[in-house]
Amino acid sequence: QVQLAESGGGSVRAGGSLRLSCAAAGDNYRRSYVGWFRQAPGKEREGISCIIPDGDRAYYADSVKGRFTVSRDNWKKTATLQMDSLKPEDTAMYYCAAREWTLGDSCSFSGAFWKDWGQGTQVTVSP
């Protein structure tokens, strides 16, 4: 099991940037996928990024591709979501999630894939 805590949310104007962090505790972090999700009021949760355990590959939803960049530091047990060119439609609660790698796994944006979740951090983008 991995315990997760997000930070770095806040309010920004459209076109601005924010950097979210996800701090992890637990021995399985280095063997875990890390995903980022968001949920806006009245909308379903959306998977927006996933990075594999060694950090060599990442995947993005079309809605954020080219604007968001995910990275991780397995020594520090952290993951980072750099968000640039923010739009009002990016306003949401952002969550990081983790799932320990098992043979046959690959990144997924389905919420059911993920085992551990943080509490979330709010991002608000004004016009």
Side-chain angles (χ1 to χ4, degrees), residues 1 10 40 42 49 57 59 71 83 86 91 97 110-111 115 123-124 127:
Q1 187 175 4
S49 184
R57 188 172 298 175
Y59 301 87
S71 60
M83 306 187 296
L86 283 162
T91 295
S110 168
K115 301 300 183 186
V123 171
T124 302

Side-chain angles (χ1 to χ4, degrees), residues 9-118:
S11 297
V12 66
R13 288 186 178 271
S17 298
L18 282 174
R19 189 179 183 91
L20 305 185
S21 293
C22 176
D27 294 337
N28 297 337
Y29 178 78
R30 296 183 180 93
R31 300 189 298 272
S32 297
Y33 293 90
V34 174
W36 285 93
F37 289 76
R38 66 186 182 185
Q39 188 166 19
K43 294 187 177 181
E44 292 190 356
R45 182 174 54 194
E46 176 190 16
I48 58 173
S49 184
C50 174
I51 186 166
I52 67 173
D54 64 9
D56 280 354
R57 188 172 298 175
Y59 301 87
Y60 300 92
D62 288 343
S63 57
V64 305
K65 196 174 295 182
R67 301 187 298 122
F68 290 12
T69 304
V70 65
S71 60
R72 65 189 293 166
D73 185 329
N74 283 347
W75 290 108
K76 296 181 180 179
K77 295 186 179 180
T78 59
T80 299
L81 184 67
Q82 177 67 40
M83 306 187 296
D84 299 317
S85 302
L86 283 162
K87 305 174 182 179
E89 51 263 44
D90 294 318
T91 295
M93 186 72 79
Y94 283 70
Y95 302 88
C96 61
R99 173 190 167 110
E100 187 176 2
W101 176 89
T102 56
L103 186 64
D105 273 351
S106 60
C107 271
S108 172
F109 289 153
S110 168
F113 174 81
W114 301 89
K115 301 300 183 186
D116 302 301
W117 293 84

